[in-house]
Amino acid sequence: MKVASRNLSLTKAGSESDSAIYLGAIMAPYPALSDDALCIDAESWLKLRPDAAAIPVVDSENSPIGIISRTHFQIKYLQLYGRDIYRHRSVSVMMDHTPFTADYFDSVAQVSTLFERNRNHLIENGILVTQEGLYCGFVSGLALLKSALAEVKLTKKQLEQAQQALIQREKMAYLGSLVAGVAHEVNTPIGIAVTAASTLQDEAAKLVDLLRAGQLKRSLLTHFSELVSDSTALIHANLSRANEIIRNFKSIAVDQTSNELRTFELGEYCQQLLDSMKPTLCHYPQPVRLNSPHQPIVVTTSPSAISQIITNLVLNALEHAFDSESGSEQSRHGSVEITLFETKGSIHLICQDSGKGIEEAIIGNIFDPFFTTLRHRGGSGLGLHIVYNLVTDVLHGEIAVESNSALGGTRFTIIFPI
Ligand SMILES: Nc1ncnc2c1ncn2[C@@H]1O[C@H](COP(=O)(O)OP(=O)(O)OP(=O)(O)O)[C@@H](O)[C@H]1O
Ligand SMILES: [Mg+2]
């Protein structure tokens, strides 16, 4: 029996990605039968290799010229008188003369696609792998199928990994946006506390000077004690607010569920909040009013979420709804109103301004992170995104926005369960 074989030193080249399985990696390095072999040689060849699905056949140049399928051979050769008829005849009588050939470095994916198209032919005949047209090994249809399947699994795993990485990236981006939001929120109370502390420091220094000079009068002392009391109250309120924001940030960032809940009266809480915002609100000509019912609205929820939501909505109205520079009628007589009421186990919190409204073209984007029309003035576009998350995730409620000429401004309606 003549057997052709060839040792090739193969190095992977080409543009296939490293993760793709290529034929060389799943090839069985069976020796091929030469074209002058007889059927009896083919019988011995198959006996020696019980796993082989087919026998590759090559010419004297080692070029693949055919393939003998085991099933086809067995049916013809092992039938009655088959062995007697064929044993001394050339293997070419059993051969498929159009063997499928592929390159050592062709990817399983590439070949599987061809496989799909000519399924029957290829499954029966297996694949001869050639490089530069020469035989170097054999790949059965089954081996190809198996590795195509493995590759699909690998791709699925890679997809899952990529998805995880994406989720992680989104989480990090969300965390980043929260940090920016906190910096933004904390800025005002800290600024107010710093101003109040430095005023106190200046006045105390003046007091000491007067005391040393023996010019301290009772009226000055009274004035100073009032200042101390007002300033420390202001410092305390604003540092507590900053502290609350940071605590809220931590609870949202670390664990949404640990957002501290408290039972409190909503109207009173909102009034305290607006009072604590007075140092900021006084910079705007438009008044901010609270309409709350006489009956108390007792809620058990996260107070810091409520204060963050109201702060953002009120400041947005003051910053975006009125053209402060134009001094228009609408701007001068504008106002912002917070309305609270309770219906059938739900709280309605409405923030309405009488400003210029929000254009229809952008109203659908205002809750998107980083969407702002005031980037040139330092807007981060995170305010309403944070509001949206707080309403849905912390209050378990819903938020809607309306803005049209009939309304004469913008109205945010938040409804959440008690
Ligand atoms: N009451 C309002 N009237 C008119 N436009 C508004 C009003 N509230 C929000 N907007 C629009 O929605 C956009 C998004 O608001 P958002 O609070 O998310 O960001 P921002 O206020 O621009 O920036 P920041 O992150 O500093 O709050 C604003 O840039 C503005 O165009
Ligand atoms: Mg804002």
Side-chain angles (χ1 to χ4, degrees):
M1 172 175 67
K2 268 194 162 183
V3 163
S5 73
R6 187 177 129 93
N7 279 333
L8 292 171
S9 80
L10 295 159
T11 46
K12 192 166 185 260
S15 58
E16 283 301 321
S17 89
D18 284 343
S19 61
I21 305 172
Y22 58 103
L23 290 187
I26 59 162
M27 177 188 86
Y30 296 144
L33 272 185
S34 63
D35 55 353
D36 56 359
L38 306 176
C39 286
I40 194 167
D41 299 324
E43 184 188 358
S44 325
W45 192 102
L46 285 171
K47 260 193 201 145
L48 278 174
R49 300 170 188 87
D51 293 334
I55 313 169
V57 183
V58 294
D59 65 13
S60 55
E61 303 291 315
N62 206 28
S63 295
I65 54 156
I67 193 157
I68 304 167
S69 128
R70 178 186 283 270
T71 341
H72 177 72
F73 183 83
Q74 281 174 344
I75 290 169
K76 251 183 143 172
Y77 193 75
L78 300 179
Q79 69 186 356
L80 197 62
Y81 309 121
R83 188 184 249 116
D84 299 331
I85 297 167
Y86 293 110
R87 68 207 282 176
H88 295 298
R89 291 181 66 179
S90 158
V91 283
S92 62
V93 297
M94 297 285 180
M95 206 164 74
D96 175 349
H97 294 267
T98 54
F100 179 83
T101 62
D103 192 275
Y104 186 92
F105 289 120
D106 282 345
S107 74
V108 165
Q110 257 176 324
V111 180
S112 314
T113 317
L114 284 170
F115 203 160
E116 274 288 306
R117 286 192 205 129
N118 312 284
R119 192 173 296 171
N120 295 334
H121 177 78
L122 288 175
I123 285 180
E124 269 179 27
N125 295 324
I127 294 161
L128 282 170
V129 176
T130 74
Q131 197 193 32
E132 294 131 13
L134 300 177
Y135 174 78
C136 62
F138 168 83
V139 174
S140 73
L142 195 65
L144 183 77
L145 254 183
K146 273 188 191 160
S147 38
L149 219 62
E151 196 158 65
V152 169
K153 276 190 196 148
L154 198 74
T155 321
K156 195 166 161 255
K157 202 168 157 210
Q158 283 167 338
L159 193 73
E160 280 165 5
Q161 280 168 351
Q163 263 169 358
Q164 281 307 318
L166 204 70
I167 290 170
Q168 192 59 24
R169 240 197 357 246
E170 270 175 10
K171 263 193 204 158
M172 294 315 286
Y174 181 61
L175 217 59
S177 73
L178 272 181
V179 172
V182 166
H184 170 89
E185 295 299 322
V186 146
N187 215 14
T188 311
I190 296 279
I192 294 167
V194 167
T195 312
S198 67
T199 311
L200 202 58
Q201 199 176 22
D202 293 348
E203 291 300 314
K206 279 187 209 157
L207 193 82
V208 171
D209 289 347
L210 289 172
L211 191 64
R212 285 204 184 118
Q215 292 170 353
L216 188 61
K217 290 186 192 141
R218 175 178 285 272
S219 61
L220 278 172
L221 201 58
T222 312
H223 168 74
F224 183 72
S225 65
E226 278 166 9
L227 183 81
V228 169
S229 154
D230 289 351
S231 306
T232 47
L234 201 64
I235 292 170
H236 183 256
N238 281 283
L239 287 184
S240 305
R241 166 98 187 95
N243 187 29
E244 200 176 298
I245 293 168
I246 291 166
R247 260 213 332 263
N248 189 32
F249 158 72
K250 267 178 22 193
S251 60
I252 291 178
V254 177
D255 180 4
Q256 294 259 0
T257 55
S258 77
N259 211 307
E260 215 174 285
L261 301 185
R262 200 151 57 77
T263 302
F264 57 96
E265 203 281 304
L266 190 61
E268 191 189 347
Y269 182 78
C270 290
Q271 191 54 60
Q272 283 168 356
L273 178 69
L274 293 181
D275 289 346
S276 79
M277 288 171 73
K278 262 183 192 154
T280 310
L281 302 183
C282 71
H283 295 300
Y284 299 90
Q286 298 80 18
V288 179
R289 285 188 283 264
L290 175 70
N291 304 315
S292 60
H294 293 301
Q295 313 91 301
I297 305 177
V298 180
V299 289
T300 302
T301 188
S302 157
S304 51
I306 297 281
S307 67
Q308 243 182 304
I309 290 167
I310 294 180
T311 311
N312 266 298
L313 293 181
V314 168
L315 291 182
N316 266 357
L318 296 172
E319 280 167 13
H320 301 291
F322 309 102
D323 288 326
S324 46
E325 277 117 58
S326 75
S328 68
E329 193 73 358
Q330 177 215 44
S331 165
R332 273 186 289 127
H333 298 292
S335 65
V336 182
E337 291 203 0
I338 305 279
T339 306
L340 303 172
F341 62 90
E342 184 184 336
T343 52
K344 292 184 211 136
S346 292
I347 307 292
H348 292 238
L349 192 165
I350 298 163
C351 177
Q352 174 153 6
D353 64 61
S354 58
K356 62 182 179 191
I358 303 175
E359 281 172 36
E360 216 180 309
I362 64 160
I363 201 159
N365 304 107
I366 59 169
F367 295 110
D368 293 349
F370 307 110
F371 178 84
T372 176
T373 48
L374 273 195
R375 181 136 357 252
H376 58 288
R377 288 209 332 240
S380 68
L382 291 169
L384 285 180
H385 178 64
I386 291 171
V387 167
Y388 183 87
N389 286 339
L390 290 172
V391 171
T392 53
D393 297 348
V394 181
L395 304 188
H396 307 293
E398 288 168 11
I399 180 165
V401 58
E402 299 158 84
S403 189
N404 53 50
S405 48
L407 205 63
T410 303
R411 181 198 289 157
F412 286 91
T413 304
I414 293 166
I415 303 175
F416 63 98
I418 293 178

